Amino acid sequence: MSDPKVEKEAGSTEPAQAPAPEPEKKKREYKDFGHDEDDKPTHAKVDMSQIQLKAEDLYDKEKVDLETIVVDDVFKLLQCDENGLTDEEAARRLELFGPNKLESEEQNPFLQFLSFMWNPLSWVMEAAALVAIALSNGEHRPPDWEDFVGIVTLLLINSAIGFYEERNAGNAVKALMDSLAPKAKVKRAGQWREIESSYLVPGDMISFKIGDIVPADCRLTEAINVSIDQAALTGESLPQSKKLGDQCFSGSTCKQGEAEGVVISTGPNTFFGRAANLVGQDDDTTGHLQKILAQIGSFCLVVIGIFVLAEIFCLYAGFRYSYRRGLDNILVLLIGGIPIAMPTVLSVTLAVGAQQLAKYKAIVTRITAIEELAAVTILCSDKTGTLTTNKLTIDRDTIRTYGPFSAEDVILLAAYASRTENQDAIDQCVVGAIGDPARARAGIKLLDFKPFNPVDKRTEITYLEESSGKLKRVTKGMTGIIIELCTRNKTEELESRLEADVEEFAQRGLRALAVAYEEVDGTDPEGEGNGFELIGLLAIFDPPREDTKQTIDDALALGVKVKMVTGDQLAIAKETGRRLGLGDHMYPAKVLKDGPEPGSRFRSLDEMILDADGFAGVFPEHKYEIVKRLQALGHLCAMTGDGANDAPALSRANVGIAVEGATDAARSAADIVLTEPGLSTIVHAIRGSRIIFQRMRNYAIYACAVTIRIVVCFSILAFAFKFDFPPFMVLIIALLNDGTIMTLSVDRVLPSNSPDSWDLAEIFAFAVAYGLYLTLSTIALVAIIIRTTWFYDKFGVTLHNGAHQATDHNDPQLHMIVYLQVAIISQALIFVTRSHGFFFMERPSVALFAAFCIAQLVSSIIAAYGNWGFTNIQAISGGWIGIVWIWDIVWFFPLDLIKFAMKATIIKSLRARHQAALAAQTAESGVPMTRTTSRAASVHESLYSNRVSFLRRAARKVGFGQKISMKPEELQRFSSIQAARTGSVLARHPSRPTA
């Protein structure tokens, strides 16, 4: 069941009776799927005793075709033989090549914690704390301990949440390292022994058998009926038969047989190790949420910086303020202007969202991935085990029958000819097709069984049928072999039909399994039968999961395009795509290197990648490259997978999703781990993430508006009225606001039907409009209180010492009135930013409304009873509290009108300009561009480095000095390049003198 083409000459099965020549019939080729004849091994065309090969020699196929050189030449290249290395030589090579394991670096937890306090938002918090404790001295006043403690507390809370998130994220490289086989059987100095696999070196002779994990990349020197499962590494759904000279990858599992091989690559240079290094590879992306934080932070910093400078010049140079008085005003801007709790609020929102997603069996290992999942435009999905079940199945709809037996009879007879214990993948799927495995031996008595072997390529059973007492024989195997055995009822028409069926199966990516049957005369189970008759052809494939098609349809409805990226062969990928409604515009991985063919409808590789429904035959670097190119086109990519081979792309993708049953390596590289089979959970996760995104967007508008509102308002009050607001009261406003806003994490919002994106221009535009309006509401109130006696005349309220108006612009009761007015209307703004229509049309969550009520109750109590000696405030009467509440309510209602006016004018103009720029870019490049914020650059992005991308630090780069360079696209030649690279190192450090 593994040989490719079998040529046979059709003709009579009887001995020739006469010498009369007959016309020669055409040779038939049964083109079974995916088994082309391997190229014959060749010898190197140079003297292999001269090991001093240079890189250009190793790539020169005229001298050494590294893909096909015989094992003998590999031995010469690696300076070893079948007796293995000596202990001394092994120790020398261990020093030379390093241990056969993946190294990871540990980071000091304390330094890791401190690293969260190193970004511009934190710098402003720290600067405000320093101003409060260090600079606020002099003029016979103590340092501002109250502000200092409050600021430091918020800073520590924010850092603690980030630190906790990072320390709990899985370490992908460690999981990959743990997947390596811990022990290995190795021949040293002619003696077999068991050692730690980390001590293996290139040139070692190793041995492994059924159930073992291959400890290092090797070329086989002996192979007895070997079958290797490398699905977790390459994505191939079937175990691969291996023969002498083939390569086995480190981390793959031996499913059948025994083998010996020579190690050609260890540790970071194995196929497995390269995957690990890709996971830990530095990339040029900053976490998406970090980019948004960077730009919001920059916006707030610019606003604060402008007004701090203005205050320094105006208050000190113009008004000749004393040192402490001016510093208090600046402190108000620093504390109130920066959204100091933004990282904390967003982290809590994401953490609560992660708990909600857990109800849908999605475990979030990097909480910022939730925000990115809401913006995902393309889902790159692995096939084997993700879109499909990774269990071979008989496709009942395509079974072909050629004799008197029905399709179900053919399956049952094929099950007779299968093992019921110690099964290989084919036997397991055939027996599984009959439902109850006991039926495979029910009603028959087993007399003789011949298991599959690479020479005969078939299985055979001879049995006694208990109901009739007859001896019968069934065989199943590769089509060409089985039809060669058949002598009964074999006609030209039958062979033509069989040839067409096999070719159809191959084109559809289905593996053909032929079944033949004969009866045996007498009672001798080894006796001759009456001749095999072909009775059926079974189609074997890896079926899609039951819910996958619906999941893909749901994803498309949410505006997310799905692309299949698989290590399996092109025909299989196309067939799976057709069955899932995914499409069959799929291409082999080589197009990623060669680009579109001349004359094709694609002008560039990027255009082809965007149009493709999938790619087949890809290796880890290909998956990584596809994701990287899509990201370069402005798309946010999610990647699903289940094997170690998916880990690099899972790590590179904006959102890596490990499906149920994934390997530890895939789970650790992923951002979201599914604990239920299939992809349906992803749709729930996308919807859930869009709800969470809406909550964060609402908060972002609110936070920026409050920055404008605080900074502009108190600067104008200082310039116009020499109004000195107490810094501690701004801290109280911030604490109450942020405490309330935490409940946004459970607010009621509706998800969008298209991918979300951060349009910061819109957010800032809304923020400026709301902020300036709220500023006006406060300045108007203060101006009336200072300039007129209107409130005393109408309501009989007075200020400190019975004053009818605030002749003292820093009246402690006026400070309290301003505190209450700012606290109430600033927090009420959230009800406007969270709604798309009128605020009363979209009901908030009970938690948000209750938190608002409690916060305003606290603010009102502070206003009524807050006679605090350490800050310049004094309690106000109930009359003033009522006046402030009514004032805020009157100013609150027009906020909705401002929102609608902004949408009809400025926001509409911004979106039109955005679409025009997108159209111009598409016309110029010919490739549709999706301009997400991940393309927007910020000068501060690097300062908001992705806190959970610690994978970069975890993978240690291991180099051999002047390594042979290898482009990622050349991984198909990986085995040869490994051997060549190892040989070149040994050439520079020979164990024997060169001739």
Side-chain angles (χ1 to χ4, degrees), residues 911-924:
R911 290 179 178 173
R913 188 186 306 172
H914 173 84
Q915 292 298 327
L918 197 62
Q921 200 170 16
T922 302
E924 181 182 343

Side-chain angles (χ1 to χ4, degrees), residues 611-885:
D611 175 77
D613 296 318
F615 293 90
V618 300
F619 281 85
E621 272 101 340
H622 295 134
K623 295 184 179 186
Y624 188 88
E625 180 70 15
I626 290 167
V627 170
K628 189 174 181 179
R629 280 183 173 272
L630 288 171
Q631 288 173 330
L633 290 172
H635 288 278
L636 264 67
C637 290
M639 167 76 184
T640 68
D642 65 341
N645 66 315
D646 299 318
L650 289 174
S651 177
R652 170 73 202 199
N654 299 90
V655 183
I657 303 170
V659 297
E660 189 266 344
T663 62
D664 287 344
R667 282 200 294 266
S668 296
D671 305 309
I672 296 175
V673 179
L674 307 184
T675 59
E676 274 193 350
L679 295 180
S680 59
T681 308
I682 291 179
V683 174
H684 291 302
I686 289 174
R687 289 198 183 101
S689 67
R690 291 185 183 176
I691 288 173
I692 295 160
F693 180 91
Q694 290 296 327
R695 293 168 180 159
M696 291 194 296
R697 181 181 179 276
N698 297 342
Y699 172 72
I701 295 174
Y702 166 82
C704 292
V706 168
T707 292
I708 297 285
R709 185 260 195 289
I710 295 288
V711 172
V712 177
C713 174
F714 288 113
S715 294
I716 291 176
L717 288 177
F719 300 155
F721 304 112
K722 296 184 179 180
F723 182 82
D724 305 329
F725 193 69
F728 185 77
M729 298 314 293
V730 173
L731 189 59
I732 295 295
I733 291 172
L735 285 169
L736 288 175
N737 276 2
D738 293 328
T740 301
I741 297 306
M742 292 284 182
T743 58
L744 269 180
S745 59
V746 291
D747 191 25
R748 291 163 47 93
V749 293
L750 294 174
S752 63
N753 288 324
S754 59
D756 289 309
S757 63
W758 289 95
D759 196 322
L760 293 178
E762 290 187 16
I763 289 174
F764 295 153
F766 277 122
V768 170
Y770 293 144
L772 293 179
Y773 177 79
L774 296 182
T775 295
L776 185 63
S777 72
T778 304
I779 292 173
L781 178 63
V782 172
I784 291 173
I785 294 174
I786 289 177
R787 303 291 190 196
T788 73
T789 59
W790 189 79
F791 286 114
Y792 172 75
D793 297 337
K794 295 294 184 183
F795 306 105
V797 290
T798 60
L799 294 167
H800 185 56
N801 293 329
H804 297 174
Q805 66 183 88
T807 51
D808 177 5
H809 293 182
N810 288 301
D811 186 304
Q813 288 194 337
L814 177 57
H815 286 166
M816 187 65 88
I817 291 169
V818 171
Y819 157 74
L820 185 61
Q821 192 272 335
V822 170
I824 293 172
I825 199 164
S826 296
Q827 203 169 96
L829 176 65
I830 191 61
F831 296 112
V832 175
T833 64
R834 66 172 294 279
S835 59
H836 296 283
F838 287 105
F839 75 92
F840 52 81
M841 299 296 288
E842 297 180 31
R843 180 167 66 86
S845 66
V846 174
L848 176 61
F849 188 72
F852 171 79
C853 293
I854 292 170
Q856 298 321 311
L857 178 62
V858 171
S859 293
S860 299
I861 290 173
I862 290 174
Y865 302 103
N867 292 306
W868 295 337
F870 60 83
T871 188
N872 189 23
I873 59 168
Q874 187 176 328
I876 56 177
S877 66
W880 272 117
I881 294 174
I883 288 168
V884 171
W885 269 97

Side-chain angles (χ1 to χ4, degrees), residues 898-909:
I898 291 175
K899 176 170 60 184
F900 299 143
M902 288 290 294
K903 286 183 176 180
T905 55
I906 295 175
I907 303 302
K908 185 177 180 181
S909 171

Side-chain angles (χ1 to χ4, degrees), residues 513-533:
L513 187 69
V515 185
Y517 159 90
E518 72 173 355
E519 294 186 356
V520 181
D521 296 328
T523 58
D524 182 8
E526 296 184 3
E528 289 291 324
N530 63 346
F532 277 111
E533 175 185 0

Side-chain angles (χ1 to χ4, degrees), residues 512-567:
L513 187 69
V515 185
Y517 159 90
E518 72 173 355
E519 294 186 356
V520 181
D521 296 328
T523 58
D524 182 8
E526 296 184 3
E528 289 291 324
N530 63 346
F532 277 111
E533 175 185 0
L534 182 70
I535 61 171
L537 194 67
L538 303 179
I540 298 176
F541 78 119
D542 181 12
R545 292 182 185 269
E546 292 180 1
D547 62 344
T548 301
K549 189 176 189 309
Q550 183 61 48
T551 299
I552 290 172
D553 292 342
D554 291 345
L556 292 172
L558 290 170
V560 179
K561 181 172 173 58
V562 182
K563 293 182 185 292
M564 183 195 303
V565 183
T566 176

Side-chain angles (χ1 to χ4, degrees), residues 497-516:
R497 185 179 156 204
L498 176 66
E499 187 177 11
D501 288 341
V502 172
E503 190 163 349
E504 180 195 343
F505 282 10
Q507 289 173 353
R508 294 180 55 186
L510 304 173
R511 177 157 295 185
L513 187 69
V515 185

Side-chain angles (χ1 to χ4, degrees), residues 56 140 575 689 701 950:
E56 54 268 27
H140 308 291
E575 177 67 12
S689 67
I701 295 174
F950 58 99

